[in-house]
Amino acid sequence: MGRMFKVMRLNRLLPSVLVLFVLSLVPLQVYALTVSEMTKQFICQCGCTAVLDNCTHAECSIRDEMTNLVRQRVEQGKTEAEIVSFFVGRYGEKVLASPPKKGFNLTVWITPFAAILAGAAIIYIVIKKWVRRGRAVEMTTSDADSTEHDEEYEIRLEKELKDFESRGFR
Amino acid sequence: MTWFLFFLALLTFAFIAYPFYRKRLRHAEYQEDGQLVELLSKRDTSYSMLKELEFDYKSGILTEKDYKELESRYKRKAINILKDMDSAQDGQKIGDEIEEQVNKLRHNNVGKGSKVSDEIEEEVDRLRGEKAVNKQLDDQIEEQVQELREKPRYCRKCGVKVREDDVFCSRCGAKLI
Amino acid sequence: MQDVGYIPLFLALVVSVYSAFTYFYGGEKGNGVLLESARNSLIASCVLISLAAGALYYSLITNDFQNEYVASYTSRDLSLVYRLSAFWAGNDGSLLFWGWLLSILAVIMVLQKRDIGRELVPYSAGVVMCTLAFFLIISLFIANPFQRLSFVPPDGQGLNPLLENEGMFFHPPLLLAGYVGFTIPFAFAMSALLTRRLGDEWLVVIRRWTLIAWLLLAVGNLFGAWWAYVELGWGGYWAWDPVENASFLPWLVGTAFLHSIMMQRRRGILKIWNMVLIIITFNLAILGTFLVRSSVLASVHTFAESPALGVAFLAFIGISLFGSVALLYYRSDELHSEAEMESMVSRESTFLLNNLLLVGAAFSILLGTFFPIISEAVRGVKTSVGPPFFNQVNGPIFLAIILLSGICTLIGWKRASVKNLVRNFLWPTVAAVILAIILVVLGINNVAAIVGFVVCAFVLFTILSEGIRGTIARRRMRPQNYLSAFAGLILANRPRYGGYMVHIGVLLFAMGVIGSSVFNIEAEASIKPGESMSIGRYVLTYEKMDNFETQSKTTVSATLSVSNSGERLGRLVAEKYFHRNHQNPVTEVAIKSTLIEDLYVILVGWDQDGTTAFKVLINPLVSWLWIGGVVLVVGALVAFWPERRRRQERTARDGEDV
């Protein structure tokens, strides 16, 4: 019973972690579209490599130009998708702050989680193996305890343990 | 400036070459007994582990039942390490004693003829040889043990395969011979 | 002064190559004389490099503009402290600084008194000297900071004004020191493989070395974040820029390594994995150094490009990676683990999962950082991988890491029984649930933020409850008051409780990150003097604009008075500097910081008629980033601080290393 519970806990933990991962892939809901929401999605093309919103150049004509393009379109009531496709058409895919989740670009989104899941599977198998090995040892040692005593060593162990003043693992 | 740099190079060279020209060599502190060091650190690890167990138990992270079980298991481990240490130390002690005798003999040799010294060296070689013979014997024993180990062991009562260092059968609990 | 710099550096290269060879050969033969000579040459190389560094410092102080490096990074009007910090302002100087630091660490390493692991020193010193030789070759032949110009310029080009900040004294050298520091654990790992002394020894030796390198890297990055926040003027502290990522990677893998060596020490497992981790950490540290220097990836941090430098670094990484992995492969059958476990759920399994997630996070960051190159190679299309990607992928991974660190705290080593799990997790869970209810009642409707805060709070409570339990247990063992029992508890096991303090620091930091990235608001306004703008509960009234002229720059400053819900808070002054030597003006932001939120005012621009544009941000909980950072540092130092030397068991073992 107790063991079942333990295994269940681990099994329950994994899906909840999974859910977290999946949640992250779902884009956040969009309320009223604002300029600053959009400018966070594009990379400034002036060479600073930062997000348009964060371009570090104090006076940057490219940033201003791009921001104005965004503002115009937001004011015209264009949707997010329309603005994004306009920018991709104008500057190429590199204007997007993160690669779109389709085609080859999906690899960059999926590989990390796939790798972690594969690693988790390996860890699960390995721990299971170790536990099996540990159980075998456990049975023999608990039997052995009752008989063979090395009293001399036990006394020495107690004494040395008492004097052992190491403060945790070095 | 050139002179300064020349001097610098010379100084560097002298500093690096110095150990080769020093008369009294430092003891080669290198030949440590690797096995013993390893055991010492293993022992410290098991002690730290026991302390940690005790603390985890006292602060309520381990239940009493688990604690007792784990404690006895790790105490066994520690005792086994102590035993190994003792046997390793014995081996080293014999070696040390021989070296001590050698040094004593050499010390007596100061100021005496080379004939005596040859005799002594002979004696030394003999003593060293003894140690080598002992070591050979040890090696033979080890080999035999290894051979025995490689053969699978089975429980005589129930016939299940057991590990070579088990004392009791893991299935039926019979004492293994 | 050129020769005083260049020739000692050249001598140092010869000496360090000799030292490496002699260490390996002498170690192999067990020849004390050779080893002593090798040690002397190691010390000599440190002295020689220090001499070269001194020569560069001399050139910087005396405005020796015929030195190309000095002319490129300093000018006459630069104050002395910034002239000194120009040592690491550019490529050539910072690479020399790398080598210099490494030689100093090498000297500390060989002169350290040890009661364990002395047989490892010759080989690890050999590995360190090989690394040093590589950096000396770079400094001598590719990025020489002692290059002379054919003429003497009247003045230098001056330091990049963005670098004129207190951060400049700490961020680059600490980060570099962190990178350099990982060389020592790597060297000891290689030495353990070479000498086949694969037991606990090398782990005992490197624990504190790894910890200090890890801490330096952490502090370096914290200073970088702080610097970006106060100086770059965009209201953020971390941009997932390639170079930032490069410094984050070895830190993450190093964190995994620090945790998994605990497992090897206690249970004798993960021996190969630990080797893999330290090899990766070291090579990521070199990669980090390399990324700053090269222009492989577009980044704000990039210095001047030099293809030869990139090739040299790639070659070095290739050799070190190939060599160490091959060595590991040949020793792999001696690294079998003695693994046996008692239960599926134990502290060990949480450690394994945490290790996986840390390395997984590092992998995702590495992949994201290099994906533009991959994409261009595969599809021929340029892409950018920026903050949205890293936040979305790493947010949940980091949250899972934090959650696991809390679960780990209250699960015993070896075994977790149901009864204990319930008992240990009851109160932290209750507290976390109460917090969740409070957050919902307060009207916070961002699910991600609530989950994040609740997880952080849960972990915080588990650590606190562990501390309380420990204190009570200790008081039961010996009669004393709670305070001294608590102090005694921490002192009795510094690595453990120092580690918990680091966790608390990380938690505070995480809360700061969640608060400032989810709840920040911003407003932009163009107003004339006397007019006001409002953001949140704050009202900012524009008072006046001033101009100052100094020798090196013109300062334009706008003064605003601030009130919060009608209560006056005082004045803020946002400025812009126009440097004589540099085209781009520098924005000096004004920050009003409280524990709850920062008011962050950026002076954007102004018109002839006095209309001035401001960008104002409210960044919640940013102070907690820095508080968390301080807690992390204190915790790491507690864990690092050496314990009193133990009673010597064998007096013969006490002594200097040869």
Side-chain angles (χ1 to χ4, degrees):
Chain A
M1 167 62 199
R3 218 175 97 203
M4 254 176 66
F5 188 79
K6 279 177 226 163
V7 176
M8 264 168 56
R9 265 194 76 87
L10 194 76
N11 288 352
R12 214 183 298 158
L13 196 78
L14 281 175
S16 60
V17 172
L18 259 180
V19 168
L20 279 176
F21 290 153
V22 174
L23 266 180
S24 75
L25 293 174
V26 179
L28 296 171
Q29 311 119 286
V30 185
Y31 318 106
L33 198 58
T34 67
V35 176
S36 95
E37 260 170 25
M38 285 313 297
T39 52
K40 283 192 173 61
Q41 295 186 29
F42 300 123
I43 299 281
C44 180
Q45 297 299 307
C46 71
C48 67
T49 73
V51 172
L52 191 50
D53 206 30
N54 301 341
C55 175
T56 46
H57 296 152
E59 276 160 15
C60 177
S61 58
I62 295 171
R63 176 191 61 199
D64 295 345
E65 182 195 324
M66 289 176 73
T67 314
N68 281 333
L69 284 171
V70 173
R71 184 168 294 126
Q72 279 169 21
R73 273 157 187 77
V74 168
E75 277 160 12
Q76 285 163 18
K78 291 266 168 71
T79 65
E80 190 179 342
E82 280 169 337
I83 300 176
V84 167
S85 69
F86 169 77
F87 269 85
V88 171
R90 191 179 162 111
Y91 296 99
E93 204 178 291
K94 62 181 192 295
V95 76
L96 296 174
S98 61
K101 291 169 193 148
K102 58 181 181 224
F104 176 72
N105 288 330
L106 265 178
T107 51
V108 75
W109 290 93
I110 289 172
T111 321
F113 296 112
I116 287 176
L117 284 182
I122 292 170
I123 286 181
Y124 183 76
I125 293 166
V126 167
I127 294 183
K128 219 167 174 181
K129 197 177 105 192
W130 288 344
V131 169
R132 217 178 301 130
R133 210 188 291 171
R135 289 247 162 76
V137 177
E138 204 167 349
M139 283 164 117
T140 53
T141 44
S142 56
D143 284 345
D145 258 0
S146 49
T147 46
E148 209 183 342
H149 273 292
D150 310 277
E151 270 178 38
E152 189 190 323
Y153 279 105
E154 250 162 49
I155 293 164
R156 180 166 150 206
L157 176 66
E158 290 303 328
K159 197 181 154 288
E160 286 192 12
L161 259 182
K162 218 169 149 195
D163 293 342
F164 188 72
E165 49 188 23
S166 158
R167 294 157 179 244
F169 279 83
R170 287 213 288 171
Chain B
M1 188 59 85
T2 324
W3 278 108
F4 167 73
L5 293 169
F6 179 72
F7 186 63
L8 186 74
L10 208 65
L11 205 66
T12 311
F13 181 75
F15 183 53
I16 295 169
Y18 172 63
F20 294 105
Y21 294 94
R22 199 158 56 166
K23 281 217 177 102
R24 199 174 53 80
L25 282 178
R26 261 210 243 166
H27 289 294
E29 288 163 58
Y30 270 87
Q31 271 111 40
E32 272 214 42
D33 190 347
Q35 197 196 354
L36 198 60
V37 172
E38 174 88 36
L39 283 170
L40 269 170
S41 102
K42 268 193 177 161
R43 185 201 63 183
D44 286 357
T45 305
S46 64
Y47 284 2
S48 302
M49 199 77 176
L50 278 163
K51 289 267 171 187
E52 211 168 59
L53 280 176
E54 188 190 354
F55 192 80
D56 274 355
Y57 164 59
K58 287 207 170 121
S59 56
I61 288 174
L62 281 171
T63 57
E64 188 171 350
K65 182 172 159 284
D66 286 346
Y67 170 62
K68 290 280 181 252
E69 227 176 283
L70 293 166
E71 192 199 21
S72 74
R73 178 190 267 199
Y74 279 86
K75 277 196 170 156
R76 279 212 84 64
K77 274 194 178 165
I79 286 174
N80 285 338
I81 293 167
L82 285 179
K83 282 181 183 167
D84 289 350
M85 261 170 66
D86 280 355
S87 55
Q89 235 155 7
D90 285 346
Q92 203 196 25
K93 227 179 253 165
I94 293 170
D96 286 352
E97 269 165 25
I98 294 170
E99 285 308 315
E100 217 168 86
Q101 269 180 316
V102 170
N103 282 339
K104 215 187 267 170
L105 286 169
R106 282 217 175 110
H107 189 73
N108 291 342
N109 183 30
V110 178
K112 288 184 190 167
S114 66
K115 208 170 165 188
V116 183
S117 115
D118 283 352
E119 267 168 36
I120 292 167
E121 281 309 319
E122 243 165 59
E123 179 81 351
V124 167
D125 284 345
R126 196 181 60 77
L127 281 169
R128 283 211 174 117
E130 251 173 42
K131 194 193 177 188
V133 170
N134 275 339
K135 189 155 185 336
Q136 248 170 11
L137 273 176
D138 279 355
D139 286 352
Q140 274 173 12
I141 293 169
E142 266 311 306
E143 239 167 62
Q144 278 172 354
V145 168
Q146 206 58 41
E147 253 168 49
L148 280 172
R149 279 206 175 134
E150 271 155 25
K151 278 187 202 151
R153 273 177 87 204
Y154 297 96
C155 171
R156 288 198 178 177
K157 198 173 163 198
C158 67
V160 75
K161 195 172 169 182
V162 291
R163 291 151 61 107
E164 77 277 318
D165 47 356
D166 284 355
V167 186
F168 294 92
C169 170
S170 59
R171 190 206 265 171
C172 66
K175 185 155 183 170
L176 300 168
I177 308 156
Chain C
M1 278 320 278
Q2 177 204 12
D3 295 343
V4 179
Y6 192 77
I7 291 185
L9 215 52
F10 190 78
L11 267 177
L13 173 62
V14 175
V15 166
S16 63
V17 170
Y18 167 81
S19 174
F21 272 115
T22 325
Y23 261 126
F24 285 130
Y25 187 71
E28 187 66 36
K29 298 276 170 224
N31 185 333
V33 178
L34 279 179
L35 290 174
E36 206 170 329
S37 167
R39 187 185 66 172
N40 282 3
S41 49
L42 184 147
I43 296 169
S45 70
C46 176
V47 172
L48 289 167
I49 299 173
S50 304
L51 205 63
L56 184 57
Y57 269 128
Y58 183 80
S59 297
L60 287 168
I61 294 170
T62 54
N63 286 327
D64 174 17
F65 292 127
Q66 203 187 348
N67 178 322
E68 195 187 334
Y69 186 78
V70 176
S72 316
Y73 293 103
T74 62
S75 54
R76 286 187 193 284
D77 55 12
L78 204 62
S79 66
L80 182 66
V81 277
Y82 285 109
R83 240 183 276 157
L84 290 177
S85 74
F87 196 108
W88 46 73
N91 212 348
D92 311 352
S94 48
L95 284 167
L96 177 63
F97 188 70
W98 219 103
W100 188 27
L101 275 178
L102 185 60
S103 71
I104 292 170
L105 292 188
V107 169
I108 296 173
M109 183 184 98
V110 296
L111 292 184
Q112 223 177 8
K113 284 202 178 219
R114 312 181 177 280
D115 56 0
I116 191 167
R118 305 205 293 137
E119 291 74 13
L120 293 170
V121 172
Y123 291 91
S124 56
V127 173
V128 171
M129 289 325 266
C130 287
T131 313
L132 181 64
F134 165 73
F135 276 92
L136 289 176
I137 289 172
I138 297 262
S139 282
L140 280 168
F141 303 114
I142 300 175
N144 181 1
F146 299 106
Q147 211 80 49
R148 306 301 282 182
L149 294 168
S150 53
F151 61 101
V152 183
D155 196 358
Q157 289 161 20
L159 194 65
N160 180 345
L162 285 175
L163 301 183
E164 279 187 59
N165 175 283
E166 294 88 338
M168 180 65 184
F169 306 125
F170 306 109
H171 172 58
L174 285 170
L175 212 54
L176 287 171
Y179 285 148
V180 176
F182 279 120
T183 313
I184 307 283
F186 171 75
F188 271 106
M190 290 304 104
S191 169
L193 285 175
L194 285 166
T195 55
R196 297 171 191 261
R197 301 176 76 96
L198 295 160
D200 279 348
E201 246 181 316
W202 75 277
L203 294 174
V204 175
V205 172
I206 59 149
R207 188 186 77 89
R208 290 177 50 233
W209 276 105
T210 316
L211 197 58
I212 200 70
W214 175 92
L215 176 64
L216 287 168
L217 209 52
V219 178
N221 268 326
L222 281 167
F223 269 112
W226 176 74
W227 190 2
Y229 186 69
V230 301
E231 183 74 25
L232 291 183
W234 51 275
Y237 41 85
W238 188 263
W240 294 107
D241 174 272
V243 170
E244 291 171 358
N245 294 349
S247 65
F248 195 31
L249 289 172
W251 189 81
L252 279 175
V253 184
T255 311
F257 178 70
L258 275 173
H259 286 88
S260 75
I261 57 175
M262 287 187 226
M263 303 269 294
Q264 184 176 342
R265 291 276 282 120
R266 285 169 175 77
R267 309 303 309 264
I269 54 178
L270 301 179
K271 288 178 180 169
I272 295 180
W273 177 241
N274 281 329
M275 285 286 172
V276 171
L277 283 182
I278 191 62
I279 290 169
I280 295 177
T281 308
F282 172 70
N283 284 293
L284 284 174
I286 300 285
L287 183 77
T289 313
F290 158 64
L291 278 185
V292 188
R293 314 299 129 195
S294 72
S295 48
V296 175
L297 299 161
S299 154
V300 278
H301 293 74
T302 313
F303 296 145
E305 46 191 288
S306 155
L309 202 61
V311 173
F313 265 100
L314 279 184
F316 181 74
I317 292 175
I319 292 169
S320 88
L321 209 55
F322 179 77
S324 48
V325 170
L327 186 60
L328 182 60
Y329 175 76
Y330 281 116
R331 292 284 186 270
S332 57
D333 41 331
E334 287 172 51
L335 286 164
H336 277 311
S337 63
E338 317 136 14
E340 50 190 57
M341 277 226 252
E342 287 83 357
S343 141
M344 251 348 248
V345 181
S346 62
R347 197 175 280 181
E348 283 86 341
S349 36
T350 59
F351 263 62
L352 283 172
L353 273 182
N354 241 1
N355 236 279
L356 169 74
L357 290 171
L358 281 166
V359 175
F363 172 70
S364 75
I365 296 170
L366 187 71
L367 184 70
T369 309
F370 282 94
F371 191 73
I373 296 179
I374 300 172
S375 165
E376 203 171 353
V378 175
R379 294 166 61 213
V381 177
K382 274 196 172 147
T383 49
S384 310
V385 180
F389 169 81
F390 292 108
N391 290 337
Q392 284 180 48
V393 171
N394 286 296
I397 299 180
F398 284 128
L399 205 59
I401 291 173
I402 289 175
L403 181 64
L404 269 174
S405 80
I407 294 173
C408 167
T409 312
L410 292 186
I411 294 187
W413 287 107
K414 295 164 275 288
R415 175 165 307 181
S417 66
V418 183
K419 192 178 132 204
N420 263 27
L421 284 179
V422 173
R423 192 175 70 188
N424 292 343
F425 284 106
L426 184 64
W427 289 111
T429 313
V430 167
V433 169
I434 292 173
L435 181 85
I437 294 168
I438 293 174
L439 287 178
V440 172
V441 168
L442 282 178
I444 291 171
N445 52 11
N446 186 315
V447 181
I450 292 179
V451 172
F453 279 130
V454 167
V455 165
C456 287
F458 168 75
V459 178
L460 194 62
F461 290 130
T462 60
I463 296 173
L464 292 180
S465 104
E466 150 85 17
I468 292 168
R469 276 161 199 284
T471 311
I472 293 170
R474 205 176 159 79
R475 231 176 74 89
R476 218 178 288 144
M477 280 192 259
R478 61 200 84 176
Q480 56 194 153
N481 66 30
Y482 284 102
L483 202 65
S484 52
F486 180 68
L489 179 75
I490 289 173
L491 290 180
N493 196 341
R494 278 186 295 230
R496 180 180 190 157
Y497 291 97
Y500 286 153
M501 282 166 84
V502 171
H503 284 184
I504 293 178
V506 171
L507 288 173
L508 298 178
F509 192 89
M511 291 195 198
V513 170
I514 297 169
S516 60
S517 54
V518 176
F519 301 109
N520 62 331
I521 40 180
E522 57 181 71
E524 277 178 82
S526 296
I527 47 180
K528 287 185 175 165
E531 290 177 343
S532 300
M533 65 180 289
S534 67
I535 176 168
R537 298 182 314 279
Y538 294 95
V539 176
L540 294 93
T541 311
Y542 181 21
E543 290 188 346
K544 59 178 179 183
M545 176 167 280
D546 296 302
N547 275 305
F548 308 100
E549 292 277 344
T550 64
Q551 193 194 358
S552 63
K553 60 181 184 251
T554 307
T555 304
V556 176
S557 76
T559 309
L560 303 109
S561 68
V562 186
S563 63
N564 180 359
S565 320
E567 182 193 345
R568 260 190 67 87
L569 290 178
R571 285 201 172 81
L572 280 177
V573 181
E575 296 174 324
K576 243 186 201 334
Y577 296 158
F578 295 86
H579 283 261
R580 202 167 44 75
N581 285 332
H582 287 264
Q583 285 189 334
N584 285 325
V586 175
T587 308
E588 284 286 303
V589 294
I591 303 171
K592 188 128 220 143
S593 190
T594 64
L595 288 182
I596 296 169
E597 58 198 12
D598 281 12
L599 182 68
Y600 191 99
V601 183
I602 307 162
L603 175 58
V604 178
W606 51 88
D607 275 340
Q608 298 294 333
D609 63 347
T611 312
T612 309
F614 293 99
K615 185 172 175 180
V616 184
L617 296 98
I618 293 180
N619 294 321
L621 302 182
V622 168
S623 305
W624 292 95
L625 298 175
W626 322 130
I627 295 171
V630 171
V631 174
L632 182 143
V633 172
V634 172
L637 285 177
V638 167
F640 170 80
W641 215 252
E643 61 180 285
R644 213 176 31 215
R645 277 177 84 71
R646 246 182 280 176
R647 231 173 346 102
Q648 283 304 320
E649 275 165 296
R650 297 164 70 203
T651 39
R653 295 164 79 215
D654 194 19
E656 255 178 75
D657 291 312
V658 177

